[in-house]
């Protein structure tokens, strides 16, 4: 099991910065467990197997120009208490304790963060335990340290299993006591973190029932005690402490009482001394709360502050709305902003129908192919001209979508040209441009991306579509088979990233030979690369090159299998890949209205139309397409059979290639399903609906506020003025294109294609 630990760089940087900011010896005095030399002292709080062990093993503590003293704590909450009391200068904790501390009003400062593997946070059971899943914990006794990250992971694991905290008997124990209770059989399970997890596994005394993957975000924070405001700092004689005693301060006692009990900042805090001992052991001395006040318990019988509500009274979802959970910009780092994307929040994207749009699953394509006709007149098809696409792009931007996916294929407008034109009509909206690596030079693609970023000021995302339909590939002059196409994609992306390095790049491969590949200027920022594929040939390419692995909307348990697969391959290569999902949506004020809309879409289809589309889709080489077909259960038009998972409807895939499932239900229902996928590790949701303009508003005005209320999104932007709405055409009346006489191309296979399939003797749209 991989430990949940920060990198050495993440540990060293905040220590160095904090040491350089110190103006003298800190409030914590000398310690027998110290490193380095000099008069400057940095007091570091640590947990078992934490920063000290890693830095010492790496030799990073040798010959330091300043002194580091170490104080070990049993878990995050008591460490934060010491930080807040200025007994230590800095310490490392998981993602949950700072939320409780901030909720209590503690004046702590997050100075750095690192993203680790949450597999080390686990619920352990004895080796011979009959428990096999988290659901089996019902009625059982579980040990956990209150207020710790393991406590949150326990609650999250229970929620995923459909249980409430009240369904189990929680025993609040610090790790040492919990280990004794676990090994002697006094508790049935133990929610804990590394190194305790590894300690139990290596001893053979337990096994993992479930771990934090898909439940927690794997964050570690370096938290520092706040420095006093310069306007309040008093100058004192050299060599004296803040309490007025001459250094060294071991055993020093201040006489400045000012008619009241000595405050925390006046207490000496040497290792083993009264200040640090109080911070470490205060849980053994319960205090009476002030009259009329409430308490925030970070662990049993501990109070961070006595003026705030108890966390047991705070809804769990409310904690997700805290800045530590929302995103980097919401956290005060004293100028040191976290890496973009470090905190796992939901990213919402919409879809640009560059092949046409409409109100049905079939009659929505603007371009015909070979004069193939339907048996009835087609009406209401919206041409993908610039005016209509601008309406969708502006609506998506106003509604808070981050980007729009633009498909690629024969029956779509060119994604590069279309989106760069739309960029001139929008301000913040990004464009997820789909393209096929087999039909363009990788150096040219790198140059196009660089130019695109400069023209749009950094609004490009790339969706690499290897291609799963040989007929479509041959149309563009690509005659490689399925697996060789993925091998070529791997080489293509190697060249693109090499060319973006800013130096001449040479590459010799099976498919590409490049000498001195270069762009005038690298793109700034580098576009994120989205990539999808369900075959064995696709997995290694995603693990090696993708920033975001994109899957079509399969049931949650199948999506989890894919995430685990790609994550394992990426870890073998020393990389981290994020995850996205491609879904349609039908969201209404009530579930009844949403399912009525889904039924209306089905009513336009007949068995012959569905059978023809399914037969053509079955010819696809795409493994992902075959997985989509398996969800439709033989092409049945029965709605009950098409709801393959709660609120996940496979009706779209009856006649449409590629993404074939939709989230259907009330706004709260759809938000529930998004939250369920998010809990599995999905960050990016690429959504669409028919027609795309109207469905963007249904989702943006209904589901987006639900997600924001749950803390999965930042608070929505304030509405624009009426004058601004008139300028941008917000909530415009869609302009329908003239009816396209007969016939449209049908359904499409794979990737971000247009979703069309040629279906002789009759064309069925998908």
């Amino acid at each position: 099991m991989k430990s949940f630990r920060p990198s050495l760089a993440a540990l060293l940087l905040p220590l160095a910065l904090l040491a350089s900011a110190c103006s003298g010896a800190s409030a914590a005095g000398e310690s027998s467990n110290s490193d380095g030399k000099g008069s400057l002292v940095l007091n570091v709080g640590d947990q078992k197997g934490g920063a000290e062990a890693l830095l010492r093993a790496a030799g990073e503590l040798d010959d330091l120009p300043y002194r580091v003293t170490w104080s070990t704590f049993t878990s995050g909450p008591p460490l934060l208490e010491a930080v807040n009391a200025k007994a230590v200068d800095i310490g490392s904790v998981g993602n949950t304790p700072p939320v409780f501390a901030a909720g209590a009003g503690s004046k702590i400062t997050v100075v750095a963060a690192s993203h680790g593997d949450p597999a080390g946070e686990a619920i352990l059971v004895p080796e011979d335990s009959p428990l096999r899943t988290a659901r089996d914990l019902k009625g059982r006794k579980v040990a956990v340290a209150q207020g710790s990250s393991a406590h949150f992971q326990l609650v999250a694991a229970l929620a995923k299993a459909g249980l409430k905290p009240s369904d189990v008997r929680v025993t609040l124990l610090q790790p040492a006591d919990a280990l004794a209770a676990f090994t002697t059989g006094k508790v049935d399970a133990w929610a804990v973190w590394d190194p305790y997890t590894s300690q139990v596994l290596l001893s053979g005394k337990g096994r993992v029932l479930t771990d934090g993957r898909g439940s927690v975000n794997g964050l570690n924070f370096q938290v520092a005690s706040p420095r006093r405001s310069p306007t309040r700092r008093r100058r004192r004689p050299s060599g004296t402490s803040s309490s007025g005693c001459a250094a060294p301060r071991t055993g020093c006692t201040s006489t400045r009482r000012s008619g009241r009990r000595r405050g925390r900042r006046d207490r000496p805090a040497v290792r083993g001394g009264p200040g640090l001992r109080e911070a470490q052991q205060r849980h053994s001395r319960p205090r009476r709360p002030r009259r009329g006040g409430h308490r925030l318990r970070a662990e049993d019988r501990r109070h961070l502050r006595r003026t705030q509500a108890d966390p047991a009274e705070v809804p769990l979802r409310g904690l997700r709305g805290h800045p530590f959970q929302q995103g980097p910009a919401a956290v005060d780092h004293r100028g040191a902003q976290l890496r973009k994307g470090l905190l796992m929040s939901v990213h919402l994207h919409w879809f640009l129908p560059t092949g046409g749009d409409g109100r049905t699953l079939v009659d929505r394509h603007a371009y015909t192919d070979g004069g193939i006709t339907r048996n009835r007149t087609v009406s209401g098809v919206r041409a993908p001209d610039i005016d209509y696409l601008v309406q969708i792009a502006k609506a998506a931007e106003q509604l808070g979508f981050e980007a729009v996916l633009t498909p690629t294929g024969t029956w779509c407008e060119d994604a590069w040209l279309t989106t760069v034109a739309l960029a001139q009509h929008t301000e913040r909206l990004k464009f997820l441009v789909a393209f096929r690596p087999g039909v363009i030079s990788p150096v040219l693609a790198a140059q196009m991306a660089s130019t695109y970023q400069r023209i749009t000021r950094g609004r490009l995302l790339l969706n690499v579509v290897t291609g799963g339909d040989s007929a479509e590939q041959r149309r563009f002059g690509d005659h490689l088979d399925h697996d060789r196409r993925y091998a070529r994609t791997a080489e293509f992306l190697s060249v693109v990233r090499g060319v973006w390095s800013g130096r001449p790049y040479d590459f010799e491969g099976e498919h590409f030979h490049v000498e001195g590949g270069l762009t005038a200027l690298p793109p700034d920022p580098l576009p994120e690369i989205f990539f999808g594929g369900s075959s064995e040939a696709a997995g290694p390419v995603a693990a090696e090159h993708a920033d975001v692995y994109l899957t079509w909307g399969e049931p949650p348990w199948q999506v989890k299998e894919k995430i685990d697969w790609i994550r394992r391959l990426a870890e073998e290569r020393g990389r981290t890949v994020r995850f996205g999902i491609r879904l349609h949506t039908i969201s209404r004020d009530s579930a009844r209205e949403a399912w009525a809309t889904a039924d209306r879409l089905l009513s336009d289809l007949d068995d012959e139309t569905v059978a023809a589309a399914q037969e053509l889709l079955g010819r696809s080489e795409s493994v992902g397409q075959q997985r989509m077909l398996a969800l439709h259960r033989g092409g049945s038009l029965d709605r009950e059979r098409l709801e393959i998972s709660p609120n996940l409807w496979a009706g779209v895939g009856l006649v449409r290639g590629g993404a074939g499932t939709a989230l259907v239900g009330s706004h709260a229902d759809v938000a529930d399903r998004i939250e369920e996928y998010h809990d599995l590790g999905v960050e990016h949701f690429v959504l669409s609906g028919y027609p795309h303009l109207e469905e963007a508003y249904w989702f943006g005005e209904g589901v987006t506020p639900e997600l924001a209320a749950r803390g999965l999104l930042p608070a929505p932007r304030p509405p624009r003025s009426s004058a601004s709405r008139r300028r941008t055409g917000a909530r415009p009346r869609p302009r329908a294109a003239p009816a396209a006489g007969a016939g449209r191309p049908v359904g499409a296979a794979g990737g971000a294609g247009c979703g069309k399939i040629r279906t002789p003797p009759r064309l069925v749209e998908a």
Side-chain angles (χ1 to χ4, degrees):
M1 174 172 292
K2 189 171 182 178
S3 296
F4 174 65
R5 292 178 176 173
S7 66
L8 289 175
L11 296 170
L12 287 170
L13 180 59
L15 295 184
L17 291 175
L18 198 61
S20 65
C22 292
S23 60
S26 70
E30 295 192 3
S31 169
S32 58
N33 186 20
S34 64
D35 300 273
K37 57 186 177 181
S39 59
L40 189 66
V41 180
L42 180 65
N43 298 282
V44 181
D46 196 24
Q47 299 182 53
K48 180 179 178 180
E52 182 183 7
L54 290 174
L55 294 172
R56 195 175 301 285
E60 297 291 346
L61 299 177
D62 300 335
D63 301 321
L64 290 176
Y66 56 91
R67 292 184 57 204
V68 176
T69 64
W70 300 92
S71 303
T72 302
F73 295 82
T74 57
S75 62
L79 191 157
L80 282 182
E81 180 78 0
V83 171
N84 191 50
K86 297 187 176 68
V88 296
D89 299 311
I90 190 170
S92 178
V93 295
N95 72 324
T96 303
V99 176
F100 283 94
S106 295
K107 303 300 183 182
I108 60 175
T109 302
V110 175
V111 296
S114 59
H115 207 179
D117 185 354
E121 293 194 33
I123 299 177
L124 305 175
V125 295
E127 191 67 37
D128 58 351
S129 171
L131 307 183
R132 289 292 177 263
T133 67
R135 179 171 286 276
D136 298 332
L137 291 171
K138 187 172 184 178
R140 303 286 185 160
K141 185 180 291 187
V142 184
V144 67
Q146 187 173 4
S148 65
S149 296
H151 199 172
F152 177 82
Q153 197 259 324
L154 172 62
V155 174
L158 293 174
K160 287 180 64 176
L163 301 177
K164 297 176 292 186
S166 58
D167 291 330
V168 301
R169 293 182 293 164
V170 177
T171 301
L172 302 175
L173 296 172
Q174 287 297 309
D177 296 330
L179 176 61
F182 180 83
T183 55
T184 57
K186 299 293 181 60
V187 294
D188 301 299
W190 181 21
V192 73
W193 58 91
D194 260 334
Y196 301 99
T197 300
S198 298
Q199 180 180 346
V200 170
L201 296 180
L202 292 174
S203 69
K205 296 179 180 178
R207 56 180 173 82
V208 174
L209 183 70
T210 183
D211 61 36
R213 288 175 292 189
S215 300
V216 297
N217 55 23
L219 287 172
N220 235 20
F221 291 104
Q222 294 285 342
V223 181
S225 59
R227 292 183 293 173
R228 295 185 221 172
S229 170
T231 60
R232 295 185 180 181
R233 178 175 295 173
R234 295 182 179 181
R235 298 185 63 179
R236 56 180 183 268
S238 176
T240 62
S241 70
S242 59
S243 60
C245 299
R249 294 177 304 282
T250 305
C252 174
T253 303
S254 173
T255 59
R256 294 188 299 139
R257 303 292 179 98
S258 301
R260 59 177 175 83
R261 184 173 177 175
R262 183 175 54 187
R264 285 181 183 173
R265 68 175 59 185
D266 298 320
R267 297 187 188 122
V270 300
R271 183 175 178 85
L276 186 54
R277 256 200 313 273
E278 182 169 349
Q280 290 174 318
Q281 301 174 353
R282 191 167 300 153
H283 62 276
S284 64
R285 299 195 342 250
R287 293 185 180 183
R288 180 179 302 172
R290 293 176 181 172
R291 182 171 299 177
H294 298 283
R295 296 176 295 179
L296 177 64
R297 295 197 299 266
E299 62 180 29
D300 194 23
R301 296 177 293 169
R302 270 181 82 74
H303 321 310
L304 288 176
R305 280 173 69 111
R306 295 180 290 164
T307 58
Q308 301 291 334
D310 190 299
E313 301 170 3
V314 180
L316 175 63
R317 282 176 177 170
L319 294 178
R320 287 179 174 166
H322 189 276
F324 284 113
Q325 300 281 355
Q326 284 183 6
V331 184
D332 175 18
H333 302 88
R334 298 291 177 92
Q337 189 176 13
L338 295 179
R339 178 178 60 86
K340 181 180 179 181
L342 182 64
L343 301 180
M344 198 187 91
S345 57
V346 167
H347 300 265
L348 297 176
H349 312 290
W350 198 243
F351 185 85
L352 278 178
T354 57
D357 201 6
R359 295 182 178 275
T360 75
L361 295 177
V362 177
D363 303 316
R364 55 186 174 80
H365 298 296
Y367 307 121
T368 61
D369 179 31
I372 302 173
T373 63
R374 284 195 69 174
N375 291 337
R376 62 178 176 78
T377 301
V378 177
S379 62
V381 176
R382 303 174 189 176
D385 58 32
I386 193 67
D387 294 331
Y388 181 61
L389 294 179
V390 164
Q391 290 186 66
I392 296 176
K394 286 187 173 182
E397 183 172 67
Q398 179 190 3
L399 292 167
F401 291 98
E402 182 176 330
V404 285
L405 171 64
T406 311
T408 183
T410 301
W411 311 111
C412 308
E413 300 289 6
D414 178 76
W416 292 93
L417 296 176
T418 301
T419 56
V420 80
L422 293 175
Q424 309 310 305
H425 297 270
T426 54
E427 298 175 0
R428 302 177 307 275
L429 188 69
K430 297 179 182 179
F431 297 94
L432 180 52
V433 175
F435 73 99
R436 292 195 172 106
V439 297
I440 188 174
S441 156
V443 178
L444 177 58
Q447 183 184 42
M448 291 167 61
S450 299
T451 302
Y452 196 111
Q453 287 294 64
R454 287 190 288 278
I455 289 176
T456 65
R457 295 179 174 86
R459 291 194 278 154
L460 174 66
L461 305 171
L462 293 176
N463 181 28
V464 178
V465 181
T466 300
D469 184 349
S470 291
E472 174 80 352
Q473 295 299 123
R474 289 194 296 270
R475 188 176 296 129
F476 286 89
D478 179 12
H479 295 270
L480 295 183
D481 61 30
H482 177 275
D483 288 358
R484 293 185 68 202
R485 287 199 294 267
Y486 277 102
R488 179 183 58 199
T489 296
E491 292 189 6
F492 181 96
L493 293 176
S494 294
V495 173
V496 167
R497 290 195 184 274
V499 169
W500 283 345
S501 68
R503 298 181 300 273
Y505 180 76
D506 297 335
F507 182 86
E508 183 70 44
E510 179 183 356
H511 303 282
F512 298 105
H513 177 74
V514 175
E515 296 180 1
L518 190 65
T519 61
L521 289 174
D524 184 19
L526 294 180
E528 288 186 299
I529 293 177
F530 288 64
F531 177 88
S534 300
S535 66
E536 289 298 322
V541 182
E544 184 68 33
H545 298 283
D547 296 307
V548 178
Y549 175 80
L550 197 59
T551 179
W552 286 327
E554 300 178 6
W557 67 270
Q558 290 183 320
V559 171
K560 183 180 185 304
E561 287 181 345
K562 278 189 171 182
I563 289 175
D564 291 344
W565 169 50
I566 297 298
R567 183 175 282 148
R568 174 179 55 80
L569 292 175
E571 287 175 352
E572 292 172 356
R573 292 160 172 79
R575 296 189 72 245
T576 299
V577 176
R578 288 171 287 121
F579 298 93
I581 194 168
R582 175 76 178 90
L583 289 158
H584 304 279
T585 67
I586 303 175
S587 171
R588 296 294 185 270
D589 295 336
S590 70
R592 181 188 299 273
E593 294 174 86
W595 285 110
T597 302
D599 290 341
R600 178 184 60 77
L601 292 174
L602 284 183
S603 67
D604 187 62
L605 305 177
D606 55 50
D607 291 335
E608 182 181 353
T609 298
V610 172
Q614 292 283 292
E615 192 273 331
L616 283 176
L617 290 170
R619 301 176 190 173
S620 172
E621 297 175 338
S622 167
V623 174
Q625 183 62 68
Q626 300 308 314
R627 291 170 68 99
M628 283 282 103
L629 289 177
L631 301 177
H632 307 141
R633 304 185 182 184
S636 171
L637 288 170
D638 181 5
R639 195 193 88 181
E640 298 299 326
R641 297 185 64 188
L642 288 172
E643 189 179 1
I644 56 177
S645 184
N647 304 107
L648 185 63
W649 182 64
V652 178
L654 291 174
V655 291
R656 185 196 193 280
T661 53
L663 297 179
V664 181
S666 67
H667 305 311
D669 291 338
V670 173
D672 285 342
R673 301 288 77 78
I674 288 177
E675 189 171 10
E676 182 178 9
Y677 283 115
H678 177 261
D679 288 343
L680 296 177
V682 177
E683 298 180 53
H684 293 266
F685 292 80
V686 184
L687 309 171
S688 57
Y690 303 108
H692 287 76
L693 184 59
E694 288 89 330
E695 289 299 331
Y697 277 100
W698 277 115
F699 186 95
E701 295 178 344
V703 181
T704 299
E706 279 278 343
L707 296 173
R710 302 180 188 197
L712 296 173
L713 292 174
R717 293 176 180 267
R720 305 170 85 173
S721 66
S722 58
S724 175
R725 284 196 296 270
R726 284 194 298 271
R727 286 195 302 271
T728 60
R731 190 71 105 144
R733 178 180 297 276
R735 185 180 63 79
R744 298 282 179 267
V746 162
C754 301
K756 308 172 183 61
I757 303 175
R758 299 173 58 184
T759 318
R762 173 180 173 185
L763 188 62
V764 182
E765 292 203 351

